[in-house]
Amino acid sequence: MKRPGWFVYASLAVVLGAALFPFYWSMLIGSGDASTIRDPNMSWWPGGNFLANAASVINDPAVNFWRALWNSVYSSALIAASVVFFSTLAGWAFAKLRFRGSKWLLVFVVATMAVPTQLGVVPLYILFAELGWTGNIGAIIIPALTSAFGVFWMTQYLQQAVPDELIEAARVDGASSFRTFLTVALPAARPAAAMLGLFTFVSAWNNFFWPFIVLDRGDPTLPVALSLLQSNYFVDYSIVLAGVLLSTIPLLILFAFAGKQLVSGIMAGAVKG
Amino acid sequence: MTATETDAPIRTGTPGPGRAGPPPRGIRRIAFSHRLSRWDLKLSPYLYISPFFILFIVTGLFPIAYTAVISFMDWDLVRGTGTFIGFDQYAYVLGQPKFWVALRNTFSIFLLSSVPQLVLAIFIAAMLDQNIRAKTFWRMGVLVPYVMAPVAVALIFSNMFGDQYGLVNSVLNDLGFASVPWHSDAFASHIAIATMVNFRWTGYNTLILLAAMQAIPRDYYEAAAIDGAGRLRQFFAITVPSLRPTLIFVIITSTIGGLQIFDEPRMYDQFGTGGADSQWLTITLYLYDIGWGQWNFGRAAALAWILFLIILAIGVINLLVTRRLVRNEGSNR
């Protein structure tokens, strides 16, 4: 196939520029001081204040940066691991095991995807308040431990990834159902599991609405901490944007290593969806 | 999990030739493991899907039903119970001018974000669909904004859209245009908020559409080229029609997401109340304010159900339109 002309590359470069510019902009502002934003002759080179601004973010007791970072890391990792495991388990059952009502149960799972989060937040809040869990990071982990999308995604994948002969062979060898799952399904599910894990991690990391409602200001996740940062420093955007950069760097690192997987995951999901 | 690690021929249930004439204990052992494995086969599927269903019932189904109950009540936060008052909360919410402003804002932001976003995504995907060098590099590049938290995106953009010193206004001034009041004019604020949504989601939708484009057989294009169709003609006559099912999928998902928008308008200024005149107050932002600003759970629950019904209605409309479009598509899909 013919290679396209310069026009295509030029347009793609513009798109890429637009995608990256906000990061550069937050670096420009985040490395200046409070007056940078008001400076009409603002330099297009980063200033030298980033570390000082970052220190303001990290040392601010109201923001709880380390606490927020740790909360984000471990809650997202836990949610991703749990969603991958339970989705593979359920996806395996829906894709390869025969049981009464499986078709309708799967339809039900898919239907739950359309239900907006807002519909349940009031009672969910009451429930966690009743348990004394408001302000506790567990309140954002527990409801996220499984996912309808994950079950659907794994069902789709395992349907074609595992030949029925393999399951029969395992059964003839006398493997129990769960052992078959461990030895046949889990290894076969690995590529889809990696993508599901990545997606779940990213969306758990970025989630805001429910954590903002239920988490305590003293024990936030990063997005909640950012929202506190803004109300504390709204006059000094250099500190706010330094905080934005700080909270985004972990995901950019993840993206540098796993971006290729994420891209192919989106592309693969679309063909089936 | 279960004790079936014997050599019992589970699938047939009859002893193989090598097992002829076993002692009685052996027969019982086989029968027992056989029964065990039958139970294993029958029960384990339910066991495997149960974590999802149990958790969904506790954190999904029960709250949804309970939201309906609370929406008919005057909820007392201190006692943790309510008194039944019927449809009063619904009437109250629907009677608030703020609700209608929020509804208008939500739709305005939704349209301003989904329409340009899809048009852009199709064109970028069409460019990525060509035989370009360094494919993976470009694909990853357009996806970078997707990993950024909406809260972070909102903070960066609300800075760029600053009324006085913002980047956008200074560029406009340099080009000889007047400054735009991004934080006081309703429509201008909707454009700014929609820009944040577009920034984060265009690349994601681009890749979904790109995947669909790559599934279009290349000989269609070759045939069109032989017939003398130019690139643009090919794009509108082959690419766009073949994308219809994927487009519909993208439209439905972005509708569901767009009608729930919260993060971006919440972070657009430091107060988070949707503007002094509710210029960019959205339904979910309003829900948060009623529930956790005014601490009125009955009204918040009623608003939650109203939002759900709106999403449901739009979903049904989407579905009907989808059916028609797909049927018109005929043999192409």
Side-chain angles (χ1 to χ4, degrees), chain A residues 110-153:
Chain A
V110 174
T112 63
M113 281 198 269
V115 178
T117 8
Q118 287 87 344
L119 196 52
V121 285
V122 171
L124 209 54
Y125 182 85
I126 295 174
L127 186 73
F128 280 114
E130 202 81 7
L131 292 170
W133 278 31
T134 45
N136 188 323
I137 188 86
I140 67 162
I141 296 176
I142 301 284
L145 286 178
T146 62
S147 119
F149 169 76
V151 173
F152 178 65
W153 169 265

Side-chain angles (χ1 to χ4, degrees), chain A residues 23-95:
Chain A
F23 294 94
Y24 187 68
W25 178 254
S26 48
M27 197 160 78
L28 277 184
I29 302 291
S31 62
D33 55 35
S35 68
T36 311
I37 181 76
R38 295 187 187 83
D39 185 359
N41 303 313
M42 199 185 103
S43 160
W44 284 96
W45 286 107
N49 261 344
F50 179 72
L51 291 180
N53 291 335
S56 309
V57 173
I58 290 170
N59 295 328
D60 184 341
V63 174
N64 261 309
F65 183 81
W66 292 120
R67 185 82 198 156
L69 180 67
W70 169 241
N71 277 342
S72 281
V73 169
Y74 100 83
S75 66
S76 306
L78 198 68
I79 289 169
S82 163
V83 164
V84 165
F85 180 76
F86 287 125
S87 299
T88 313
L89 203 58
W92 169 246
F94 280 125

Side-chain angles (χ1 to χ4, degrees), chain A residues 1 25 100 119 174 177 251, chain B residues 4 40 46 48 67 131 147 159:
Chain A
M1 211 166 113
W25 178 254
R100 231 172 237 275
L119 196 52
S177 163
L251 272 203
Chain B
T4 43
D40 181 24
Y46 295 104
Y48 298 165
T67 306
N131 189 24
V147 301
N159 170 277

Side-chain angles (χ1 to χ4, degrees), chain A residues 1 3-4 9 16 25 99-100 112 117-119 123 142 174 176-178 206 209 212 230 234 237 251 267, chain B residues 2 4 40 44-46 48 56 63 67 130-131 133 141 147 149 158-160 200 211 260 266-267 270 284 288:
Chain A
M1 211 166 113
R3 295 270 181 202
Y9 291 103
L16 192 65
W25 178 254
F99 56 101
R100 231 172 237 275
T112 63
T117 8
Q118 287 87 344
L119 196 52
I142 301 284
S176 71
S177 163
F178 190 68
N206 290 335
F209 182 61
F212 181 69
Q230 190 203 28
F234 72 95
Y237 250 112
L251 272 203
M267 304 249 318
Chain B
T2 47
T4 43
D40 181 24
S44 40
Y46 295 104
Y48 298 165
F56 178 75
T67 306
Q130 296 177 48
N131 189 24
R133 286 173 203 280
V147 301
S158 67
N159 170 277
M160 294 203 283
R200 190 160 180 270
Q260 298 179 52
R266 175 64 184 67
M267 302 305 294
Q270 73 269 23
T284 307
Y288 174 80

